[in-house]
Amino acid sequence: LGNNSGAGCAREGVASQLGNNSGAGCAPSDGDPVAPLQFQIVEIADGGDGSLEVLKNRIPGAKTTDVTVHDPLGREVVSQILLYSLPGAEKDTFLGAEKKNVAACAGNGAETRSGSSELCAFIEMAKVSGLEMLAKGERNPLFTSTYGMGEAIKAAVANGATQVTLSIGGSATNDGGAGMLQALGYRFLDAQGGEIAVPICGGDLQRVAKIVAPCTD
């Protein structure tokens, strides 16, 4: 913490000196020199607002695509998702070998031939089910839904994405992802067998008695 030099130390279990901005390392208590701890500071948002814009600037060839979704209160809005292609050799990383320490693109176990590419999507929850999409008086998690998140996933797949990364910070919801699943075809039934209306919200979870998976992929 506070070490901006690229060098660190190891003394009595401490990984780095607080406030060390000098560029010099340090020695353990026995006086023997230690190799400096090398690290890299990478610009990345916290998973909430701004993640999409940060990654758009870091992923070569990435582009944003407009998608129509419903906000946490069920109002239709136009949002954005990020689409990018990964060559086969870079499939196991989010940004390729050069910046592989930033984030990982979830693999699906399928083999990719050399020279081919795979389309991936990045969805920022703050842009489809986010707190900043609502006025302060509207921010009640009993009445908000992640339905728009599911719609964004469907849009990503419709655009050809085979891998989707979700950034779930900045949410205005607390429905456990039920709304997202509802948008993807899952049905939520109450104790009487009645279907809970779209969009399911945080306050509806206590009514859920059964979840029915969609019949198709």
Side-chain angles (χ1 to χ4, degrees), residues 62-150:
K63 64 177 183 178
T64 54
T65 299
D66 288 343
V67 295
T68 299
V69 300
H70 288 83
D71 77 359
L73 289 177
R75 299 171 297 207
E76 191 171 272
V77 296
V78 176
S79 186
Q80 291 183 326
I81 62 175
L82 190 69
L83 297 175
Y84 56 96
S85 295
L86 291 181
E90 299 179 353
K91 180 184 176 185
D92 292 333
T93 66
F94 191 52
L95 304 181
E98 183 179 356
K99 293 184 174 67
K100 64 183 179 180
N101 59 324
V102 177
C105 184
N108 58 14
E111 295 183 1
T112 303
R113 293 182 180 180
S114 177
S116 63
S117 62
E118 182 169 10
L119 187 65
C120 295
F122 178 86
I123 300 173
E124 180 183 321
M125 189 172 202
K127 284 190 175 294
V128 291
S129 302
L131 198 63
E132 295 302 319
M133 301 176 75
L134 306 181
K136 289 186 177 180
E138 298 175 328
R139 298 176 181 179
N140 186 335
L142 295 178
F143 304 113
T144 57
S145 175
T146 56
Y147 192 86
M149 192 75 159

Side-chain angles (χ1 to χ4, degrees), residues 175-200:
D175 67 358
M180 176 188 69
L181 291 177
Q182 198 177 46
L184 296 174
Y186 285 77
R187 298 166 56 224
F188 292 80
L189 309 181
D190 60 24
Q192 289 72 43
E195 187 167 348
I196 297 175
V198 173
I200 187 170

